[in-house]
DNA sequence: CTGAAAGCGCTTACAG
DNA sequence: CTGAAAGCGCTTACAG
């Protein structure tokens, strides 16, 4: 504290050279003698020179930084807050020329993601995408990375070497948290049915794995069924109905992805007293929490995920600071009174 | 999307005047004729002109924005993350000239807060402080506000008219969340002891109120004791010990503020099987969660609180955007697997 | 190998 | 009442 940062101009004065020469030294550009370069670098280090971001930004004002955003968000309320976060970041950075081009898709079809990628490909240098676990899509994204495009994976993580970052939650951990909640809310006695979304979604698989690993700690909790619903309420209703018919003893349901409304409908119609915990806090979940139909839900900060995906691009392209490759958002449990 | 924002220079060209005249119109400065002013304002509105923050910031570079920060943080690990948030924000905004002057105090003594205020008072234009509920301190802060100083209250809210903002959590709500956890974790059957910090701290009072109001929903939860420990572990140990002696039936303890270690020590020595939930996730609490001694804890994003306190100043003084007067941080419940 | 200049969008004196 | 200029810290051609 106390001293203001030194500027390139001041370094020039101290070294007795021009601003241009200082720039050559600092940026490792050619056409500068060893001696002057070393002299300048020494001064810069001594005074702890850091280029002023505002000065830099002003130069590149008028330059657009285009960002293609492709989300599997149609009909999935979870993404509403993700989008709000994206829009907020775009607004915060608009003076730096950040601009987005948003494509929204329904479901987890890899072909559609690939064709969306092909549509926006011309000239775009930054990409934010919610991928699925598909070899062809992975290959396509790998190709883009190798072309020098900054690729940010949002919400769902797949193995693309050299991607700029993954922004989302640690799904295994979130599953474990849910498993602990099953244990705590049942005081260690439960016949559990796990409800999952899509096996194409690696995060959904991790969650089931997390829940399972933790409930194994309890001698009197048994997983009696694991059902899938593709994040679709109609499918969810039928799958839950069938599971309840198959298993007379279910007294706890853990919904690890979408299809909340459908699942709850089946449970209500069944009439048995069943404890439910869930993931995320979409409006249907909030409503169910207020009515006591869901006791607790595990949330993953969708707004921050959207914001930070855009921030990754900003940090890389404009601020030129280090970008963390795995950006896990905080996981928090909510109950009825947590809801605003 | 698509179009870049219009600049003051472009407005000048469109209006056929100089940049200076545009500035006079936009800023409501004198020495401009009605007609040209109106013409310029019309163009500005038409093209949705918004001054470029970077251009503005560059002008005022070299100007310091001093912020005095006064925290009741000595010996209170809750504030470690608050400070990390403050430092992160200062770093993010350093190119804009933000600079802090930090004073740390032990305990909640109003006199010390007031004298700390007097020490930093010369020339400072921005203040972030964790206040206590004291009339004299309130008067002092009110005075500062009236002098035009931007006052941000952090963590603890008191009634100062015209303050820039309060950044912290909604303590009543956090108490209600804790009350619900007591209900859920006990399946509605508990003999509850509530542990609080200081009655000087309005937030602590609200939490007790929140817990109490919710456990009243349950016919078989009784509050058998409410004890105070001044956020001090020694006091906490003795108070908990005494409460356990007074009440043979305690089977649930809700620690709503500090003194976690002391309280837990007394419970352990007692040997009874007692469920515990707490607030915040200081290291001692994390440790106790991992050992199963605390089942769940209600957290309030201390890092974000620190960051946003500084951001309030930045938004007001530099970005000149609207600052929300009550900035509530998210409340989240954590269990053992939530801890990194 | 090095310097001088123009420009990013704004503000702030100063000159007419 | 209005304009022309300088400057914030940087980058990017261009001239020597």
């Amino acid at each position: 504290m106390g001293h203001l940062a030194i500027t390139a101009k001041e370094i020039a004065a101290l070294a007795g050279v021009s601003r241009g020469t200082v720039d050559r030294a600092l940026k490792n550009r050619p056409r500068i003698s060893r001696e002057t370069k070393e002299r300048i670098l020494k001064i810069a280090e001594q005074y702890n020179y850091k280029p002023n971001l505002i000065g830099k930004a002003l130069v590149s004002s008028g330059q657009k930084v285009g960002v293609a955003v492709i989300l599997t968000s149609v009909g999935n309320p979870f993404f509403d807050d993700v989008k709000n976060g994206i829009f907020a970041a775009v607004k915060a950075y608009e003076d730096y020329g950040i601009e987005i081009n948003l494509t929204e898709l329904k479901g987890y079809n890899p072909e559609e993601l690939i064709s969306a990628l092909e549509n926006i490909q011309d000239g775009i240098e930054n990409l934010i995408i919610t991928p699925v676990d598909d070899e062809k899509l992975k290959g396509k994204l790998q190709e883009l990375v190798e072309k020098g495009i900054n690729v940010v994976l949002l919400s769902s993580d797949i193995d693309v070497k050299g991607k700029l970052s993954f922004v989302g939650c640690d799904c295994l951990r979130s599953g474990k948290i849910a498993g602990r909640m099953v244990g705590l809310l049942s005081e260690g006695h439960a016949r559990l049915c796990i409800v999952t979304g899509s096996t194409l979604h690696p995060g959904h698989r991790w969650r089931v794995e997390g829940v399972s690993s933790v409930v194994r700690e309890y001698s009197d909790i048994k997983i009696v069924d694991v059902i899938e619903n593709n994040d679709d309420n109609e499918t969810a209703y039928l799958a839950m109905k069938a599971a309840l018919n198959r298993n007379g003893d279910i007294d706890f349901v853990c919904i690890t992805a979408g299809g909340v409304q459908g699942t709850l409908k089946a449970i209500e119609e069944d009439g048995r007293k069943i404890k439910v915990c869930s993931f995320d806090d979409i409006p249907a979940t909030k409503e169910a929490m207020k009515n006591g139909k869901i006791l607790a839900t595990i949330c993953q900060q969708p707004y921050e995920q959207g914001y930070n995906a855009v921030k990754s691009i900003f940090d890389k392209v404009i601020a030129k600071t280090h970008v963390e490759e795995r950006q896990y958002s905080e996981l928090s449990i909510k109950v009825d009174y947590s809801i605003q």
Side-chain angles (χ1 to χ4, degrees), chain A:
Chain A
M1 327 275 144
H3 280 301
L4 278 176
I6 194 174
T7 69
K9 192 179 168 189
E10 289 166 323
I11 294 181
L14 286 167
V17 297
S18 74
R19 310 259 293 85
T21 305
V22 169
D23 198 55
R24 277 178 271 260
L26 260 22
K27 303 266 186 53
N28 259 319
R29 292 194 301 154
R31 290 155 208 251
I32 180 168
S33 72
R34 260 177 80 83
E35 307 90 75
T36 48
K37 182 169 178 178
E38 275 169 12
R39 185 154 41 98
I40 291 167
L41 288 179
K42 220 175 90 188
I43 297 175
E45 180 164 22
Q46 192 180 342
Y47 288 89
N48 190 23
Y49 172 74
K50 274 176 289 183
N52 182 303
L53 185 56
I54 299 168
K56 271 165 89 165
L58 197 52
V59 173
S60 49
S61 75
Q63 305 266 43
K64 286 182 194 169
V65 178
V67 182
V69 181
I70 301 175
L71 304 178
T72 53
S73 54
V74 173
N76 190 341
F78 169 75
F79 283 98
D80 290 349
D81 269 342
V82 174
K83 283 188 278 180
N84 287 337
I86 290 175
F87 297 147
V90 168
K91 196 168 170 220
Y93 297 136
E94 69 185 344
D95 283 346
Y96 296 89
I98 288 253
E99 226 166 64
I100 63 164
N101 181 319
L102 176 62
T103 308
E104 298 189 80
L105 303 173
K106 176 154 178 63
Y108 301 112
N109 187 334
E111 295 302 330
E112 285 183 38
L113 281 162
I114 291 169
S115 91
L117 269 179
E118 272 153 6
N119 281 335
I120 49 85
Q121 221 163 303
D122 42 341
I124 213 75
E125 288 179 324
N126 305 284
L127 171 68
I128 295 173
I129 188 171
T130 52
V132 296
D133 198 9
D134 174 82
E135 283 308 313
K136 232 177 116 188
L137 176 62
K138 202 184 285 185
K140 191 84 198 163
L141 290 172
Q142 194 65 62
E143 216 174 86
L144 294 179
V145 168
E146 270 140 35
K147 269 189 194 156
I149 293 175
N150 297 309
V151 173
V152 175
L153 302 185
L154 180 55
S155 269
S156 175
D157 197 9
I158 61 173
D159 181 37
V160 177
K161 307 250 177 276
K163 69 188 169 212
L164 180 59
S165 63
F166 160 70
V167 182
C169 78
D170 179 338
C171 284
L172 178 64
R173 176 186 292 279
S174 73
K176 288 182 177 176
I177 293 173
R180 174 63 78 226
M181 287 310 283
V182 172
L184 288 173
L185 297 178
S186 69
E187 297 201 292
H189 307 283
R191 296 296 169 266
L192 176 65
C193 174
I194 300 176
V195 180
T196 185
S198 163
T199 47
L200 268 181
H201 195 305
H204 292 182
R205 294 198 304 261
W206 283 115
R207 282 185 189 165
V208 174
E209 171 58 28
V211 176
S212 309
S213 72
V214 172
V215 297
R216 254 181 250 130
E217 293 176 14
Y218 298 87
S219 58
D220 193 38
I221 299 185
K222 305 274 175 266
I223 299 172
V224 296
D225 216 334
V226 179
I227 60 180
E228 206 178 321
N229 65 27
N230 257 303
D231 286 357
D232 176 77
N233 279 312
E234 199 54 39
T235 316
Y237 172 72
L238 297 172
M240 189 70 241
K241 201 106 181 153
L244 287 165
N245 284 342
R246 275 197 300 276
N247 311 281
D249 54 350
I250 291 177
D251 59 8
F252 210 124
V253 171
C254 182
I255 309 173
T256 61
V260 171
Q261 272 172 310
T263 306
L264 289 178
K265 192 175 164 221
I267 293 174
E268 248 175 292
E269 285 182 11
D270 182 83
R272 266 177 273 176
K273 186 155 171 37
I274 291 175
K275 288 180 177 169
V276 181
C277 71
S278 65
F279 279 71
D280 301 324
D281 56 349
I282 60 169
T285 302
K286 288 184 179 172
E287 194 55 35
M289 299 249 284
K290 283 186 184 163
N291 298 333
K293 291 175 189 165
I294 292 179
L295 299 181
T297 193
I298 289 94
C299 302
Q300 57 170 310
Q301 313 236 85
Y303 181 94
E304 281 72 13
Q305 288 180 16
Y307 195 101
N308 288 331
V310 177
K311 185 173 187 296
S312 279
I313 306 279
F314 173 82
D315 286 345
K316 167 76 175 181
V317 177
I318 295 163
K320 303 206 162 94
T321 55
H322 172 72
V323 177
E324 205 60 53
E325 206 191 320
R326 341 197 87 237
Q327 298 179 37
Y328 289 129
S329 56
E330 265 209 13
L331 293 165
S332 67
I333 306 161
K334 294 187 179 174
V335 293
D336 54 353
Y337 285 115
S338 309
I339 306 299
Q340 303 283 3

